[in-house]
Amino acid sequence: MHIRVRRETIYRYAEPAKAAIQKLALTPRNYDGQHVLDWRIDVDRDCRLRACEDAFGNVVHSIYVEGPLEALTTVVEGAVETFDTAGVARGAIERFPPELYLRETPLTEADHAICDFALAATAREKETLAKLHALVGALHEAFVVAEEPTSGAVAASDIFARRRGSAQDAAHVFIAGARSLEIPSRYVSGYALRADAGAAVHAWAEAHVAGLGWVGFDPTRGASPDESYVRVAVALDHLGAAPIRAAHSGGGDETAEVRVSVARAQGQSQSQS
């Protein structure tokens, strides 16, 4: 499947900012499940745009813009050819052994409720892959996906207590549950082509299965990713794989507006947020 993505992010400042700096994790990489056909980043101001790889092997760009700035707009756009690999992420760049992804973070720490839920959901399964499918299925049934994104980063334990949250939140709960079972798991940010009016920006998780490798699991769908997904960045949690991390000097408060479109080639299907 050929998928075209366009993301426009507009930061506005209450007062003219002296300078702004951003870290962009917005560029997908090739692996067995996708091939990047073209991709570009445009900024509406003269700036220094530097590309590098972060610790997890994600492509990141840093932007430094001098003011005065009333607003700053960044547009990323490109096309990706995707393939259904049953969720297996072979051919991706790996910087660390799987055991690193057993490490808890404040956003993915499992409390007693999550541990008990994960144990109960997987009690009948012996194989790791079967346990993960049981966990994602149980979480999908127990969790209500909120249409609106969560404001700020919320711990998995708080989200699980509500049984409601965004795709980002559901991924954190799945990761916490999988790690409580001693299964290495990580956060994935990207996009998903949706038939409904749901958000095109998406998040899911990957867990490591010995002999198979990293396998994706999407709690919002209760299944593994297919060719309708575009995989962009991975990390221990959302903060490590956030599409944009921004800071500014002066300017008072800032607001961010994000416009995203994800569409098949020839525009057969499209979703926006």
Side-chain angles (χ1 to χ4, degrees), residues 12 20 27 60 92 97 102 129 147 152-153 198 235 242 246 256 263:
R12 296 184 175 90
T27 302
V60 297
L102 289 169
L129 185 60
E147 293 184 5

Side-chain angles (χ1 to χ4, degrees), residues 54-94:
D54 68 8
F56 298 98
N58 304 311
V59 176
V60 297
H61 292 80
S62 61
I63 296 175
Y64 176 78
V65 185
E66 294 183 347
L69 292 170
E70 294 182 354
L72 179 63
T73 300
T74 302
V75 177
V76 295
E77 186 171 13
V80 179
E81 183 179 12
T82 60
F83 310 91
D84 189 354
T85 62
V88 180
R90 291 195 182 98
I93 291 177
E94 300 295 345

Side-chain angles (χ1 to χ4, degrees), residues 81-257:
E81 183 179 12
T82 60
F83 310 91
D84 189 354
T85 62
V88 180
R90 291 195 182 98
I93 291 177
E94 300 295 345
R95 297 286 186 234
F96 300 109
E99 291 74 20
L100 174 85
Y101 296 95
L102 289 169
R103 182 181 300 174
E104 290 184 339
T105 71
L107 294 179
T108 59
E109 186 175 357
D111 61 2
H112 290 301
I114 292 177
C115 291
D116 291 344
F117 179 85
L119 283 173
T122 61
R124 297 182 179 181
E125 308 297 342
K126 295 183 179 181
E127 301 297 329
T128 300
L129 185 60
K131 286 179 179 290
L132 291 166
H133 279 294
L135 178 61
V136 78
L139 185 56
H140 176 67
E141 291 183 2
F143 197 84
V144 176
V145 180
E147 293 184 5
E148 68 280 359
T150 300
S151 178
V154 182
S157 56
D158 293 335
I159 292 297
F160 186 69
R162 304 174 193 170
R163 299 292 202 278
R164 178 185 175 88
S166 64
Q168 167 188 316
D169 300 323
H172 282 154
V173 175
F174 177 89
I175 291 166
R179 289 177 184 166
S180 75
L181 299 172
E182 298 298 320
I183 302 174
S185 299
R186 63 191 182 190
Y187 184 93
V188 186
S189 66
Y191 305 93
L193 186 67
R194 300 289 292 270
D196 57 18
V201 176
H202 203 48
W204 59 98
E206 288 177 352
H208 192 268
V209 179
L212 186 59
W214 289 99
V215 183
F217 295 91
D218 183 355
T220 69
R221 298 187 181 181
S224 292
D226 56 20
E227 72 274 13
S228 65
Y229 289 65
V230 176
R231 181 181 185 270
V232 176
V234 302
L236 291 170
D237 59 23
H238 165 72
L239 292 180
I244 299 180
R245 302 289 298 274
H248 64 282
S249 174
D253 294 336
E254 69 177 12
T255 59
E257 179 184 359

